[in-house]
Amino acid sequence: SYELTQPPSVSVSPGRTATITCSGDALANQYAYWYQQRPGQAPVLVIYDGTKRPSGIPERFSASNSGTTVTLTISGVRAEDEADYYCLSSDSSGTYWVFGGGTQLTVL
Amino acid sequence: EVQLVQSGAEVKKPGESLKISCEGSGYSFSNHWVLWVRQKPGKGLEWMGIIYPSDSDIRYSPSFQGQVTISADKSISTAYLQWNSLKASDTAMYYCSRLGELAAESAAFDIWGQGTMVTVSS
């Protein structure tokens, strides 16, 4: 079965830049989507179609793609960005979708 | 306002059946895929399956095929997730989400329900 791999945790000081990676064989030709989930809340879409930000998502959230790895970057991290982040994508056929295991972002 | 409202928390015993719901409003429910996601306590998100309410086209994740039933009633803009015989391992938060258009030829699971907590315990 298809898998997306994320680091379990990332720590960053306020004002610095956080990077969260997501690796998967099909990411070279399938879009990735990123979700933020704060404790006790439903997920929120922060990136779609690989690199695009939905309306209302701060500009400090961005994403990039390099082959089979995609990266979510949060610039000028704030305390409110502390959350779990999940990537979502499909296998090469577009049939089966999976979430990455999630990355807990801690703002020190 | 576009929103998905899910049914309330449930406490069930092993072996019991259950059907939880997800009602959409503020948009054309029939013409948007609805996704179901499981999140066990302290764990990550798991893709369960999706349904297109207009024609009830359903795609299950292999991990959930045969374990749950996804359905929808487009006449009342509601999607359902159903179990015939619950197990303790089904204890989790369940979310629904819709596939919305964010731009021309761009879609994503953009609106999420508030979640339904299902607890299965003897």
Side-chain angles (χ1 to χ4, degrees):
Chain A
S1 61
Y2 186 53
E3 292 184 359
L4 296 173
T5 302
Q6 299 181 233
S9 63
V10 167
S11 298
V12 63
S13 298
R16 304 302 290 263
T17 297
T19 58
I20 299 173
T21 58
C22 173
S23 299
D25 289 343
L27 288 175
N29 49 38
Q30 296 290 347
Y31 283 135
Y33 302 79
W34 288 94
Y35 292 86
Q36 175 194 68
Q37 187 182 33
R38 295 189 176 106
Q41 297 185 20
V44 172
L45 178 70
V46 295
I47 295 289
Y48 70 99
D49 286 0
T51 60
K52 301 174 183 175
R53 271 180 298 104
S55 173
I57 299 302
E59 291 184 7
R60 63 179 184 275
F61 287 87
S62 65
S64 61
N65 180 307
S66 179
T68 58
T69 298
V70 296
T71 302
L72 174 70
T73 300
I74 310 172
S75 305
V77 167
R78 301 183 179 184
E80 68 206 53
D81 298 329
E82 187 162 281
D84 293 327
Y85 291 84
Y86 295 90
C87 59
L88 169 67
S89 190
S90 68
D91 65 359
S92 56
S93 70
T95 303
Y96 299 108
W97 289 69
V98 293
F99 287 96
T103 299
Q104 182 177 53
L105 176 67
T106 300
V107 181
L108 301 170
Chain B
E1 179 191 7
V2 176
Q3 60 179 350
L4 294 171
V5 177
Q6 298 185 230
S7 50
E10 301 275 1
V11 179
K12 292 289 190 179
K13 290 181 168 41
E16 292 186 331
S17 62
L18 176 64
K19 193 174 191 177
I20 62 175
S21 66
C22 168
E23 181 180 2
S25 61
Y27 72 101
S28 176
F29 181 82
S30 291
N31 299 324
H32 291 76
W33 289 89
V34 175
L35 164 69
W36 284 99
V37 172
R38 183 175 77 179
Q39 186 169 39
K40 292 187 174 184
K43 301 299 183 182
L45 304 174
E46 299 176 88
W47 172 283
M48 300 179 72
I50 54 174
I51 184 167
Y52 192 68
S54 178
D55 60 5
S56 286
D57 184 6
I58 305 170
R59 320 276 174 86
Y60 290 99
S61 163
S63 299
F64 291 92
Q65 180 84 47
Q67 308 304 308
V68 296
T69 301
I70 293 171
S71 61
D73 184 343
K74 61 184 180 181
S75 70
I76 56 172
S77 300
T78 301
Y80 301 98
L81 181 63
Q82 180 177 359
W83 294 261
N84 290 333
S85 181
L86 286 160
K87 302 184 282 287
S89 58
D90 293 318
T91 295
M93 180 72 82
Y94 293 87
Y95 293 100
C96 64
S97 177
R98 75 139 196 192
L99 185 65
E101 302 89 11
L102 290 147
E105 299 186 10
S106 289
F109 293 100
D110 59 343
I111 303 296
W112 291 66
Q114 82 277 20
T116 296
M117 184 66 207
V118 174
T119 303
V120 184
S121 175
S122 54

